[in-house]
Amino acid sequence: MYSESPPPPDDTGVTFTVLGPLEVLRGGVDYAPTTPKVLQLLAVLVLRPGRMVHIDTLIRELWSDNPPRTVRTTLHTYIYHLRRCIDQNRLAADGEKMLATKQSGYTFYIDPARVDTHRFIRLQQLGHEHQDAGRHAAAADAYRAALDLWSGPPLANVHCGPVLSAYRTELLEQRRSVLHLRIEAEIISGKHRELIGELRSLATGSPLDEALHGQLMRVLGRSGRRSDAMTVYRRLRSRLAGELGVEPCDDLQVLHRELISEGDHR
């Protein structure tokens, strides 16, 4: 029997974390299922709150290109165990209404605002709005709040198939972008010396990230440490040439020439 209408508004206080281990939290207690395949199924549903997930998508995620002969029966069993987890832990008034069967798949009826990825995106958008309006310190605060939602790699406790792996890669790229934007907003706000240690650490962890190295060069140069900035450039150029056979990007080369020019005019 297919459910056509969503359940009443959720007032159970349950939240879902994705930016780190997948957790189903209420009152500080994690009620996420412990069976790996059921947890993997929950992850796909949580990342598409209120939207129907096609059964073929679930099969591809759980078994890739090698589903068992009894794949639909097995999937129904996992759905049953997930609903049982919902009911036993009172995560919703009715597990069948929260996780509704549709003609072509399943819909997980939860408020998107209860998933930390929703809050991450909202804070990211708020940072963009502040940045566009020239409120760089406020933008940095919003980006920092977005990054503070992360407790580790996304879906850290979930075995990710092709669907979740692609989504995890997308989330990591978004985190990298927000980190760059936060640092950029702080540079524009005049925080140069305060960023040197963090940027050195980040550049060490991402030795081929030209954007991070460019930001490190800028804060070193603006802190009166031009020679250190030049050293950063030389090391990056050597690494890029040795590992990738390429020169630094145009922006870094321009920054390097500006540092040389500053020295010539002193």
Side-chain angles (χ1 to χ4, degrees):
M1 183 174 180
Y2 306 130
S3 172
E4 298 299 337
S5 58
D10 173 26
D11 59 358
T12 57
V14 178
T15 59
F16 301 83
T17 69
V18 172
L19 306 176
L22 174 60
E23 296 177 325
V24 183
L25 298 171
R26 187 186 64 211
V29 178
D30 179 18
Y31 293 98
T34 55
T35 303
K37 287 288 189 186
V38 180
L39 188 68
Q40 190 177 0
L41 169 66
L42 174 63
V44 181
L45 295 167
V46 164
L47 292 172
R48 300 184 182 182
R51 291 186 291 161
M52 197 272 289
V53 181
H54 199 284
I55 192 169
D56 290 346
T57 299
L58 295 172
I59 290 172
R60 186 160 64 93
E61 167 59 29
L62 292 173
W63 293 283
S64 191
D65 296 323
N66 189 33
R69 286 184 295 115
T70 57
V71 62
R72 289 186 177 250
T73 301
T74 304
L75 178 59
H76 292 158
T77 300
Y78 293 151
I79 291 288
Y80 164 79
H81 284 298
L82 183 51
R83 284 178 176 149
R84 188 179 176 196
C85 173
I86 293 167
D87 287 330
Q88 286 185 335
N89 295 303
R90 299 179 182 177
L91 303 178
D94 188 328
E96 278 201 52
K97 288 185 178 179
M98 186 183 201
L99 176 49
T101 302
K102 302 294 182 180
Q103 188 169 1
S104 303
Y106 300 91
T107 300
F108 198 44
Y109 284 112
I110 57 172
D111 181 352
R114 293 192 178 274
V115 186
D116 58 357
T117 50
H118 176 85
R119 298 193 295 279
F120 175 73
I121 291 169
R122 284 296 305 128
L123 287 165
Q124 183 179 7
Q125 292 170 341
L126 180 62
H128 294 340
E129 292 168 9
H130 285 311
Q131 194 94 346
D132 290 343
R135 299 186 294 268
H136 302 294
D141 289 342
Y143 292 139
R144 190 180 300 105
L147 294 168
D148 285 345
L149 293 172
W150 290 68
S151 61
L155 301 171
N157 58 339
V158 179
H159 171 76
C160 293
V163 176
L164 290 178
S165 292
Y167 193 83
R168 182 165 58 182
T169 298
E170 179 185 344
L171 283 173
L172 287 169
E173 281 301 314
Q174 288 188 40
R175 185 187 185 280
R176 178 176 175 270
S177 174
V178 171
L179 177 62
H180 282 301
L181 289 167
R182 191 219 91 206
I183 292 170
E184 192 65 28
E186 292 189 335
I187 291 174
I188 296 172
S189 299
K191 294 183 178 180
H192 307 138
R193 290 179 175 81
E194 298 93 329
L195 288 167
I196 291 173
E198 179 185 6
L199 278 168
R200 280 199 182 280
S201 176
L202 289 170
T204 299
S206 301
L208 298 176
D209 190 321
E210 293 177 80
L212 278 175
H213 283 77
Q215 288 177 324
L216 176 57
M217 288 170 62
R218 284 166 60 202
V219 299
L220 285 169
R222 294 183 185 187
S223 301
R225 297 171 60 177
R226 191 175 62 90
S227 62
D228 288 342
M230 303 279 278
T231 299
V232 169
Y233 180 83
R234 286 195 297 270
R235 287 176 178 168
L236 174 64
R237 184 184 183 191
S238 175
R239 187 180 288 271
L240 288 171
E243 296 189 22
L244 302 179
V246 299
E247 286 290 312
C249 65
D250 290 345
D251 288 346
L252 275 183
Q253 292 187 43
V254 169
L255 179 57
H256 180 240
R257 287 195 294 270
E258 288 174 352
L259 288 166
I260 293 174
S261 177
E262 286 175 15
D264 291 341
H265 287 90
R266 287 183 178 178

